[in-house]
Amino acid sequence: MKTQFTRLRGMQDQVLGSVAPWQQLERSVQQAMHAYGYGEMRTPLLERTSLFKRSIGESTDIVEKEMYTFADRNDELLTLRPENTAGCVRAAIENGLLQPGSVSRVWYSGPMFRYERPQLGRLRQFHQTGAEVYGLAGPEIEAELILLSARLWRELGIGDAVQLEINTLGDADDRAVYRDKLVAYFSEHADELDEDSQRRLERNPLRILDSKNPAMQDLIASAPALRDSLSEASLAHFDQLKALLLGAGITPIENSRLVRGLDYYSHTVFEWTTDKLGSQSAVCAGGRYDGLMEQMGAKNMPGVGWAFGMERVIALMEALEVTHERATPDVFVMVTDEVSSADSLALAEWVRKLVPGHSVLHNTIAGSLKSQFRKADKSGATVALVVGSQEQADGTVTLKPLLGGGEQGTVARSDLLTYLERLLLP
Ligand code: ATP
Ligand code: MG
């Protein structure tokens, strides 16, 4: 139906059946986070613009061109969160989580907003689930976070379709050394730089390495490697992480061009990628961000985390046909003219108490049994129940299995639970 109002470009409705894989994913996320001892954080979708500028960095794609920013009625500049590492750190500081010596493991899930060109796998309102750990500086916690994500992929049935890529950016000192080398190299080749890269040369030369412009790739490939500027300690951190991952059965691909688009990373950065989703191949991304807390006004404290795009994970689940949630009722309660609607309503209530956790749909509208059976079949329910005047008088229920054959029959109310339990076995 044509309507006067349509949803905004790059934003999606999830309607009825399409919500099922989301619920499956959300359940697996909750289980995995619980299994690793991570606690949930729920923060506002709207934050001060300055929060994102300060944390993500002024010269990043997100802050330069992707944020939904507006002035509210009081002329305060606000932004719909484009990611949630900044919001979580803000909340952790504000709620006193970041005490010296303390460790917090947190996770979140929800909508993010970026003004990008909408295309397959790229939306303006999309959703991320993320995990963050504050207070641990060693590579063990990076390994734990990566194992947590790997377990989730396995649980969801997409483990074989994703590959871990890792790199190290070293610490701030390493990067200062490297930055100078890069500026020297790219300045020598200034005439080969595209417009974006020219702008980045002064402000954020590392981001040139992140360019997706095909014309820039040769120049980038010959640039000095960050590896050669890393200190012994940084290299040791990275080697330890790789050893921990290998020991846990995860073989990462080292990708020295992986720099990530945000300014706050240091040491380890990583991405889970797939070749099953066309050009939007990044499923999950993360890294260490020591220095962010201090940048945001807290005491210096290490941090590390990742976030995955829920739409992309669901697209992968659908491509691999591993979704299994059904948005259908289990029991369909019919309504006959022979008994009062109060009676059929009471029957449905009673059945809900008998088989908690199952979905019991009360048809509400009386009609011919034939049309109600048709509707029950269409609903995908496992079993239909009918109570007419005879059943009412006898204290029985007529029960018809709708899936997998099975005879229609009339059973005593006291036996109904036994029948339903057998029929509703998963
Ligand atoms: P990309 O290179 O695809 O733009 P990104 O580096 O901007 O990704 P991050 O900010 O690291 O992405 O976000 C983590 C994950 O969130 C991505 O790997 C991706 O799965 C998902 N994601 C990011 N932007 C979008 C978007 N506009 N629509 C859908 N998913 C997105
Ligand atoms: Mg992006």
Side-chain angles (χ1 to χ4, degrees):
M1 191 171 68
K2 214 170 153 70
T3 109
Q4 192 180 350
F5 300 109
T6 57
R7 61 179 180 268
L8 298 173
R9 235 161 82 73
M11 307 211 174
Q12 291 184 329
D13 299 314
Q14 300 300 340
V15 185
L16 305 178
S18 74
V19 179
W22 286 86
Q23 293 178 331
Q24 181 181 339
L25 173 56
E26 285 157 8
R27 249 190 290 277
S28 297
V29 164
Q30 285 187 5
Q31 279 166 11
M33 297 300 176
H34 179 68
Y36 283 76
Y38 285 59
E40 188 177 356
M41 291 263 251
R42 298 191 182 191
T43 60
L45 303 192
L46 210 50
E47 300 269 5
R48 288 193 183 80
T49 304
S50 52
L51 172 74
F52 301 114
K53 283 197 172 170
R54 170 64 70 89
S55 59
I56 299 171
E58 298 263 6
S59 63
T60 55
D61 278 353
I62 292 181
V63 171
E64 274 181 351
K65 44 191 181 200
E66 296 178 354
M67 296 208 300
Y68 274 88
T69 296
F70 60 93
D72 73 1
R73 288 169 191 279
N74 202 22
D75 273 340
E76 188 160 18
L77 218 49
L78 305 180
T79 295
L80 280 167
R81 65 183 190 189
E83 55 96 59
N84 203 28
T85 295
C88 282
V89 170
R90 198 259 319 130
I93 295 172
E94 206 168 337
N95 292 278
L97 262 58
L98 303 188
Q99 301 305 327
S102 70
V103 174
S104 308
R105 290 173 164 82
V106 306
W107 69 277
Y108 60 82
S109 197
M112 308 293 158
F113 302 84
R114 294 186 196 176
Y115 197 82
E116 301 197 69
R117 193 170 67 77
Q119 51 192 295
L120 199 68
R122 195 171 291 284
L123 294 153
R124 289 182 172 174
Q125 178 178 330
F126 63 103
H127 298 73
Q128 282 183 342
T129 294
E132 316 273 351
V133 179
Y134 311 124
L136 292 170
E140 300 78 14
I141 194 61
E142 288 148 42
E144 176 183 295
L145 276 159
I146 290 170
L147 288 178
L148 163 52
S149 57
R151 176 175 299 272
L152 189 58
W153 311 146
R154 274 200 309 279
E155 289 287 316
L156 294 168
I158 61 171
D160 292 336
V162 290
Q163 168 67 51
L164 179 67
E165 298 184 26
I166 60 172
N167 190 24
T168 178
L169 302 179
D171 61 18
D173 294 340
D174 299 341
R175 270 205 313 288
V177 174
Y178 181 55
R179 191 193 147 101
D180 291 344
K181 287 192 200 167
L182 265 192
V183 171
Y185 170 79
F186 283 121
S187 300
E188 260 174 53
H189 300 271
D191 49 335
E192 295 166 58
L193 295 177
D194 64 11
E195 209 179 300
D196 265 349
S197 303
Q198 277 171 14
R199 208 158 23 88
R200 285 177 180 148
L201 185 55
E202 291 306 318
R203 298 174 65 183
N204 194 351
L206 247 81
R207 292 276 289 115
I208 299 177
L209 302 177
D210 218 13
S211 164
K212 303 213 165 75
N213 182 355
M216 292 277 303
Q217 296 312 310
D218 284 348
L219 187 64
I220 289 172
S222 313
L226 173 59
R227 239 199 135 66
D228 301 329
S229 304
L230 293 178
S231 66
E232 290 286 318
S234 294
L235 281 171
H237 183 109
F238 194 48
D239 288 341
Q240 265 174 300
L241 172 62
K242 284 186 287 184
L244 286 169
L245 290 174
L246 286 173
I250 294 178
T251 313
I253 294 180
E254 265 186 73
N255 175 358
S256 61
R257 298 292 159 206
L258 186 68
V259 294
R260 308 281 312 120
L262 298 84
D263 275 358
Y264 49 55
Y265 287 110
S266 59
H267 287 294
T268 314
V269 290
F270 57 89
E271 270 187 13
W272 287 97
T273 57
T274 181
D275 56 10
K276 304 266 185 303
L277 293 180
S279 56
Q280 310 316 329
S281 59
V283 172
C284 175
R288 177 169 282 285
Y289 48 83
D290 301 349
L292 177 62
M293 287 33 156
E294 207 173 12
Q295 200 176 315
M296 289 182 54
K299 289 239 164 52
N300 191 11
M301 174 171 266
V304 50
W306 51 245
F308 69 80
M310 298 175 79
E311 281 83 1
R312 293 192 194 169
V313 166
I314 287 171
L316 204 47
M317 288 160 68
E318 283 172 345
L320 299 173
E321 297 180 9
V322 293
T323 54
H324 57 69
E325 292 297 282
R326 286 193 321 147
T328 53
D330 300 305
V331 182
F332 190 100
V333 177
M334 301 196 184
V335 181
T336 60
D337 291 328
E338 298 167 13
V339 299
S340 74
S341 47
D343 285 336
S344 61
L345 207 57
L347 172 70
E349 279 298 294
W350 178 62
V351 175
R352 288 185 187 108
K353 244 194 297 186
L354 274 188
V355 286
H358 288 281
S359 163
V360 179
L361 187 80
H362 178 229
N363 192 30
T364 315
I365 312 158
S368 75
L369 278 187
K370 201 168 150 205
S371 77
Q372 289 197 72
F373 269 123
R374 218 178 302 127
K375 207 162 147 193
D377 272 327
K378 227 172 127 189
S379 78
T382 309
V383 53
L385 301 179
V386 196
V387 174
S389 49
Q390 190 63 50
E391 287 93 341
Q392 186 85 320
D394 298 347
T396 57
V397 180
T398 293
L399 170 153
K400 185 180 183 204
L402 299 171
L403 301 177
E407 286 296 299
Q408 175 171 332
T410 298
V411 303
R413 286 200 177 206
S414 53
D415 293 336
L416 184 61
L417 178 59
T418 315
Y419 281 92
L420 284 181
E421 276 181 337
R422 201 161 54 217
L423 285 165
L424 296 176
L425 273 181

